[in-house]
Amino acid sequence: MEAALTPTPAERIDAIEQFLQQLVLLLEVEPEINRETVSAWIEICSASALAHGARTPRQTVTLQGLCRRVLTPAVDVLRPADTRMA
């Protein structure tokens, strides 16, 4: 049963494209962007798209899974301290 719920590669690509479209729009309008604002924006867009029939429940679940993976602190990139100022 779980295999039937696993998104197909095409569904995952679609979710990535939707995520990037929403991120670009958010970058254009939100001056103070962070992980929380991205997450909240995508949640609002997803609920609206689902309510208006622009996205299927399966597409919404796939996008939510993608967001969990890319918006978790575990994927943060550690940057070395800037030693030029020292």
Side-chain angles (χ1 to χ4, degrees):
M1 179 75 180
E2 187 174 316
L5 300 176
T6 303
T8 65
E11 289 171 325
R12 292 188 69 177
I13 290 169
D14 182 58
I16 292 167
E17 289 173 351
Q18 290 178 37
F19 177 84
L20 290 173
Q21 288 170 350
Q22 292 174 12
L23 183 59
V24 167
L25 179 61
L26 182 61
L27 288 169
E28 290 177 346
V29 299
E30 179 61 46
E32 297 294 326
I33 192 161
N34 58 37
R35 180 186 326 275
E36 290 78 23
T37 55
V38 170
S39 182
W41 177 260
I42 290 176
E43 187 175 320
I44 290 167
C45 290
S46 293
S48 177
L50 185 60
H52 290 93
R55 186 177 302 145
T56 67
R58 187 171 169 95
Q59 287 173 314
T60 300
V61 169
T62 302
L63 182 58
Q64 288 169 341
L66 172 72
C67 289
R68 276 193 302 277
R69 286 189 300 281
V70 300
L71 295 174
T72 13
V75 298
D76 281 346
V77 176
L78 296 176
R79 293 180 179 92
D82 189 352
T83 56
R84 294 177 293 176
M85 301 298 282

